[in-house]
Amino acid sequence: MKTDQNQLRFNQALLVLLLPLAALMDLPWLVYALFLLMVSQHTPYDLMVALKRLLRVPPRLAEEDPRPHRFARTLGAVFLGLASLFLLLGLEGVGYALALLVALLAFINLAFGFCLGCFLYLHLRYARALFTGK
């Protein structure tokens, strides 16, 4: 299977740039918007892909299993969803802390090539195989 490496890096760059900006300037709507962008991956209209195309970022396909990356993005969306919920409830400290955690993990992946979500995905698959024999 093919994975668009530029799409992954584009998504990470958006999170790394915009989530700290949202926290510094107290812009909860920016966290909500990034959450919606990440959740859209589960629809026929992936808004992150559409935004990358609109900005004319060319694809860079690599032969790689996309499932670990989808899992990581889903985890990021869950954390941004929780951050959004806490922000809506008026718990800005917790909300922005969760959002900044997503930004930090995106930065680590962008800068050092280590994807914690991918790592977790692979280890969960190993554990499943170990316990189920599959």
Side-chain angles (χ1 to χ4, degrees):
M1 292 187 207
K2 301 255 184 196
T3 301
D4 184 351
Q5 297 296 311
N6 282 347
Q7 181 68 53
L8 296 174
R9 296 182 68 72
F10 178 78
N11 296 357
Q12 294 157 3
L14 274 181
L15 296 171
V16 167
L17 294 172
L18 297 180
L19 288 172
L21 178 69
L24 285 172
M25 300 190 73
D26 192 21
L27 302 171
W29 63 267
L30 195 49
V31 177
Y32 310 149
L34 288 168
F35 166 66
L36 292 175
L37 283 173
M38 290 187 73
V39 167
S40 74
Q41 76 170 333
H42 299 294
T43 71
Y45 306 102
D46 188 331
L47 297 175
M48 289 276 222
V49 171
L51 184 59
K52 183 191 78 135
R53 287 183 184 148
L54 181 69
L55 296 174
R56 298 179 190 256
V57 177
R60 185 171 58 96
L61 299 177
E63 195 65 39
E64 186 176 72
D65 186 356
R67 291 177 297 178
H69 299 291
R70 279 196 304 260
F71 179 79
R73 188 171 168 188
T74 299
L75 281 179
V78 167
F79 275 81
L80 282 183
L82 290 171
S84 297
L85 177 64
F86 282 114
L87 289 168
L88 286 169
L89 293 173
L91 299 168
E92 289 87 6
V94 178
Y96 285 127
L98 288 171
L100 290 173
L101 178 63
V102 172
L104 175 65
L105 293 173
F107 173 76
I108 290 170
N109 195 347
L110 189 61
F112 305 107
F114 176 74
C115 174
L116 180 62
C118 301
F119 179 82
L120 290 173
Y121 174 84
L122 294 173
H123 280 75
L124 288 171
R125 292 231 12 209
Y126 293 147
R128 178 178 166 226
L130 181 66
F131 292 112
T132 65
K134 294 181 183 179

